[in-house]
Amino acid sequence: MSQFLKSFVKDESGATAIEYGLIAAGISVVIITAVGLIGDRLEAAFDSIAAALA
């Protein structure tokens, strides 16, 4: 049983997968925020262009 616990503590494969998942989640939050901010500005620009053409 002691050997099993030692090998379980040393095994880092699950921790690596969790770390990659957290990194991917963080990157996706940044991308979603950036697209949201750029989308609002882009919509305002197109609205002003449409108003100038009308």
Side-chain angles (χ1 to χ4, degrees), residues 1-38:
M1 186 68 166
S2 175
Q3 186 65 23
F4 171 74
L5 289 176
K6 287 180 184 178
S7 66
F8 182 74
V9 171
K10 287 184 178 182
D11 185 18
E12 295 182 1
S13 61
T16 303
I18 292 171
E19 290 168 356
Y20 283 134
L22 290 173
I23 291 169
I27 290 171
S28 64
V29 167
V30 170
I31 290 172
I32 290 169
T33 303
V35 168
L37 293 174
I38 292 171

